[in-house]
Amino acid sequence: MIKILENLKFVILLVFFIANSQNEKSVYDYNLAFGHGFYKNNGSETRSTSGKPGHSYWQNSADYFIKVSLDDELKKITGSETITYTNNSPDELDFLWFQLDQNLFKKDSRGNAIIPLAGSRNGAKGQDFDGGYNISSVKLSHENKKKKLSKKTMFLDPVSVTGYQIYDTRMKLNLDKPIRPRGGKIKIEIDWSFISPDYGSDRMGVLETKNGRIFNLAQWYPRMCVYDDILGWNTLPYLGAGEFYLEYGTFDIHINVPSDHIVVCSGGLLNPEEVYTKNQIQLLEKAAKSDETVIIRGADEINDPYSRPSENDRITWKFKIENSRDVAWSSSPSFILDAARINLPSGKKSIAMSVYPVESNSMDSWARSTEYTKASIEHYSNKWTEYPYPAAINVAGNQGGMEYPGIVFCDWQRKNESLWGVTDHEFGHIWFPMIVGSNERLHAWMDEGFNTFINELSTDEFNDGEYKEPKRNMHRFSSYLLREKAEPIATPPDNMKEINLGLLAYYKPSEGLILLREQVLGEKRFDEAFKEYIKRWSYKHPTPDDFYRTIENVTGEELNWFWRGWFINNWKLDQAITRVKYVNGDPSQGSIVTIENMQQMPMPVIIEFTTESGSKSRHKLPVEIWKRNKKWTFKYDSDEPLKRVKIDPDFVLPDVNSSNNTWTPEIGAANAENLSAYVGEYTSSMIPVVIKMVVENNELVAVVDGQPNLYLTNDGDGKFLFEEADLEIQFSEEKSSFEMSVSGQIFEFKRK
């Protein structure tokens, strides 16, 4: 019985806790919301105040030639790479920094050290092995200063160097001679190897299937750090949550694997005649002209030696991709391979491909992968800017989903809407950050959030809305979007609680762009500005300011209040109707309506009026009403009594408190009613809780010691409601007692 009473008490106290979102005293400060001086930096030669790259914008580049070999038994990857690095900056460079991302999987890495006891998606997921790079050789080739040299003689002979230091996931290479500014070049040759983790921070790994292992290789080669006009060298360590910031260049990749393997890689295949059978080449040519998926290697061929072209033990696959920031690849003997044509707006063609094991081969799963890939790429190409790579490849693996230029890894177990969602999301990343190359290590929202936003539009369109979702009730969603303990969106991902990453990097920035598009700017104006941002910063390195300034300059709108509230801070939104009165007490003369901004986030206001006869109309107010006001009063022209007045009738704004959004004549009457008859302390024999009824600002308020006040809505005839918690209070005629109904449970209270 004691346990039952404790549970009942918890239910009642929970109701009062829910009221915590209600604060009937406005905390809004319009000077804080709209204050001047949002932008701290003036324009420079590299970045204009309009959001464009400046007239002297520069960025360095890195071209890679890599030979790599896979030992599928030992899970060992051995590689030799030559990086041609170009210094386009105005600075001499005395040293270079490299990313050694595989070092995350060393036992003594910083990333491993910060994994909590409860576990994490980052790291090797508890696998007991000591990963990371074994760097066996580093050589440098400086520029040959003689004039009129061929490409082959542009560099002096390579010289072995030992003057490099490895710090966790970074390597610093000191130079004996600096690289000259504005076009100086250097070649770096690095030999390395590592053992692949089975699960590599949900970005790479090895999947065991009944027909052999699937190797998904990413962050697999030493990569140049970015040197830019913002921070100089960007050397934040790789801890797992933060992603990547990379220079653009050309990649030539030679991948040596067992001959029974199929390999897919970023870019275009250079030697199909050496790695495919004649029949497979013919089928690939057919697929390149087909809008329907063509099977290149079917399930019945997986263990057929005649499905591979070579009698040798090993075979080398050659790929090339240009103007890319990264490259990834996959290799397996277990792959089914299919493909279809991608139609691009310019008339150019690309090809969609999928590789997956027989375990994933069904029409509710990966047999539709190429259809999904093709639709996704075509949508984004038509909507924003054209897909730049010769192929788009979806690979089944043990990753939830991870993106790279021209290739993505997705969970082999996904089906139907879930497979569409992850495929569409990962290929959406081609636009953010593969084309628009933001700094993911610092600004996760600029790739994940922007991508999640374009995914919503893509899903609405796919196959006439096959997976289209109904519009969210943003009032209900607000408790997630604006939860108290969440960091601001602008927080670097390594500084966020892992539980908040999905909210702050993906969903909240996406919903912010939807709000801008649908409620603030309108679809046409927003899309024009967003496309311009993509155009300006394709294959470049934008910052948040570049995005903010572009949207403002193209649309002509002051949006600092929105950036401050949604991205820089975690401000809440609460719009309230505080009073409705008829002019001179006569409904035919119109109504005087007062609204109030209760929390710190301002937004435009939409109010729906329903008259006694049932006719409806809407009144829109711009965000500027809040520039110097906490409250706003306006006249609504009506010629009959009002039945209801409601703020945000379609629930499109993330309003944290719906209870103050509606006015009815009953509520109006309650405001005029003498509520003193309900005042007093009430106790119950059923539960040890004392509820004190008081009146504040013509409202009845329920008070429990130690709990937030509960502001009740008068429903007439002695009934009061708290709709957020499905609570009803019905007073007796004498007002000496009441029955409280909470989610179907009834408790009796009597006045002390």
Side-chain angles (χ1 to χ4, degrees), residues 184-257:
K185 296 179 183 290
I186 194 170
K187 278 190 178 182
I188 311 100
E189 299 177 18
I190 308 175
D191 295 336
W192 45 265
S193 64
F194 67 90
I195 303 296
S196 175
D198 292 336
Y199 177 90
S201 247
D202 205 26
R203 307 190 191 280
M204 59 170 295
V206 184
L207 174 66
E208 301 283 350
T209 79
K210 66 182 182 182
N211 292 311
R213 292 168 171 166
I214 295 176
F215 291 84
N216 285 344
L217 279 304
Q219 292 81 247
W220 56 281
Y221 59 99
R223 304 185 289 187
M224 294 298 307
C225 291
V226 172
Y227 186 84
D228 65 20
D229 61 316
I230 305 299
L231 294 173
W233 286 109
N234 286 258
T235 58
L236 282 175
Y238 177 40
L239 301 176
E243 294 191 276
F244 310 106
Y245 186 35
L246 302 163
E247 299 287 17
Y248 289 90
T250 297
F251 292 78
D252 283 288
I253 312 295
H254 293 190
I255 304 170
N256 184 262
V257 298

Side-chain angles (χ1 to χ4, degrees), residues 500-699:
N500 292 335
L501 187 63
L503 165 64
L504 300 175
Y506 296 72
Y507 299 111
K508 188 175 178 181
S510 171
E511 292 298 332
L513 297 189
I514 291 171
L515 285 172
L516 271 182
R517 185 174 190 260
E518 297 182 358
Q519 309 305 324
V520 178
L521 298 172
E523 294 181 5
K524 184 177 180 181
R525 292 175 73 196
F526 177 89
D527 288 358
E528 179 187 7
F530 201 61
K531 286 181 72 171
E532 180 64 23
Y533 168 70
I534 294 171
K535 178 182 176 182
R536 290 177 174 184
W537 291 99
S538 288
Y539 312 104
K540 297 181 178 68
H541 298 317
T543 67
D545 264 18
D546 299 317
F547 171 70
Y548 300 146
R549 291 177 184 271
T550 293
I551 301 299
E552 290 194 8
N553 275 261
V554 176
T555 63
E557 291 291 338
E558 176 194 35
L559 296 169
N560 63 73
W561 58 272
F562 191 84
W563 312 134
R564 281 193 179 102
W566 200 260
F567 291 94
I568 309 301
N569 297 287
N570 189 29
W571 291 349
K572 291 182 173 62
L573 174 71
D574 181 11
Q575 300 177 339
I577 298 175
T578 54
R579 181 169 293 183
V580 177
K581 298 176 66 176
Y582 296 121
V583 177
N584 298 321
D586 183 357
S588 67
Q589 297 186 37
S591 306
I592 304 297
V593 181
T594 300
I595 58 177
E596 189 168 358
N597 205 42
M598 309 302 291
Q599 290 287 335
Q600 188 52 51
M601 184 76 190
M603 282 293 286
V605 182
I606 302 172
I607 306 178
E608 183 178 79
F609 294 84
T610 305
T611 66
E612 200 172 66
S613 66
S615 68
K616 294 184 178 183
S617 61
R618 293 191 177 186
H619 190 78
K620 295 183 179 181
L621 295 165
V623 72
E624 281 80 5
I625 63 172
W626 307 121
K627 271 196 138 181
R628 55 188 179 189
N629 304 289
K630 289 187 176 184
K631 294 184 178 181
W632 184 252
T633 300
F634 65 96
K635 183 175 181 290
Y636 173 74
D637 293 325
S638 60
D639 56 9
E640 60 174 316
L642 296 171
K643 184 178 180 180
R644 180 179 288 106
V645 182
K646 190 168 188 173
I647 286 181
D648 191 23
D650 299 324
F651 306 98
V652 295
L653 301 179
D655 194 311
V656 299
N657 180 15
S658 299
S659 65
N660 57 19
N661 285 33
T662 302
W663 177 93
T664 64
E666 291 78 16
I667 295 173
N671 290 335
E673 181 184 354
N674 183 1
L675 300 175
S676 61
Y678 301 99
V679 172
E681 291 187 350
Y682 296 80
T683 62
S684 174
S685 62
M686 302 175 66
I687 185 171
V689 174
V690 178
I691 298 179
K692 186 178 182 181
M693 295 293 181
V694 300
V695 177
E696 292 184 9
N697 298 322
N698 292 321
E699 290 185 279

Side-chain angles (χ1 to χ4, degrees), residues 272-286:
E273 71 285 347
E274 296 177 9
V275 297
Y276 286 123
T277 66
K278 289 182 179 180
N279 183 57
Q280 288 167 350
I281 291 174
Q282 291 174 355
L283 290 170
L284 281 166
E285 291 172 351
K286 179 182 177 182

